[in-house]
Amino acid sequence: MRLALFAILAVLATGPAAAAPAKPAAAKPATPKPPAKPGFEARDPAAIAALLAGAGAKTESARGGEGQVALKVVTPGGGFGMQFANCDAKGKACAGVAFSTGFDRQAPTLAQMNLFNRTQFACRGFTGEDGKPNVMYSTLLTSRMTAEDMKQHLGVWQGCLGAFAQFTRDPAGFLAANS
């Protein structure tokens, strides 16, 4: 019985379709590749400013120390700052960027701020020199980052802003819900 089953399988596998030689596929003419577009350079603050402008934000260069570039960003939802670090002499090829902003509210206590930081993966809250609560998010920049990658970082930053706004409105309630 087993031998008969193997014989049937062998005949099916070597039937007319398997025995016929395959015809070569007709060669298709090569389609020319479109010319390469200049790539997005995430390490260049001007490229990120252009990306933000495409989303309706306005940017303005601010003072930065040596190797740093600072941008003030104004969006319909509010403003924030971006500080690029370890930039070359031309203010490009920056190694990282930090997003930050302050809130015009009473700062939570140090213990509450520490608890907020423990509940967050990417956002860091701190009390500024003016006694107001601030939030920050930073990331490293590479030449391989795409505009889509940077949009994801901007999305994380928006999430930080939302979480920190909730926290500063009701620190105890936020911590009770997120601890």
Side-chain angles (χ1 to χ4, degrees):
M1 179 79 150
R2 280 180 108 183
L3 189 55
L5 181 59
F6 284 122
I8 294 171
L9 290 175
V11 169
L12 290 175
T14 59
K23 293 182 180 180
K28 293 182 181 178
T31 55
K33 290 184 179 179
K37 295 179 183 177
F40 174 80
E41 178 52 72
R43 299 176 308 155
D44 182 356
I48 295 178
L51 183 70
L52 288 164
K58 294 182 181 177
T59 60
E60 177 184 319
S61 291
R63 286 189 163 252
E66 188 172 329
Q68 297 180 354
V69 173
L71 293 179
K72 289 182 181 178
V73 182
V74 178
T75 71
F80 60 91
M82 296 176 72
Q83 184 166 350
F84 295 83
N86 295 342
C87 305
D88 67 14
K90 295 180 181 179
K92 299 179 186 290
C94 303
V97 62
F99 302 81
S100 64
T101 195
F103 284 67
D104 193 24
R105 296 187 176 126
Q106 177 65 36
T109 66
L110 178 60
Q112 290 171 323
M113 193 73 78
N114 285 339
L115 286 171
F116 171 82
N117 288 336
R118 285 188 209 135
T119 67
Q120 302 299 302
F121 180 77
C123 314
R124 292 291 166 252
F126 62 96
T127 302
E129 292 176 8
D130 60 358
K132 301 291 182 183
N134 289 259
V135 66
M136 179 179 189
Y137 167 69
S138 62
T139 187
L140 298 175
L141 302 172
T142 71
S143 60
R144 292 185 282 168
M145 290 177 81
T146 66
E148 291 304 313
D149 294 333
M150 186 49 66
K151 287 177 184 177
Q152 286 183 342
H153 286 290
L154 289 165
V156 172
W157 171 237
Q158 287 176 330
C160 288
L161 290 172
F164 200 69
Q166 288 177 348
F167 168 66
T168 58
R169 272 197 281 316
D170 179 13
F174 179 89
L175 294 171
N178 292 285
S179 295

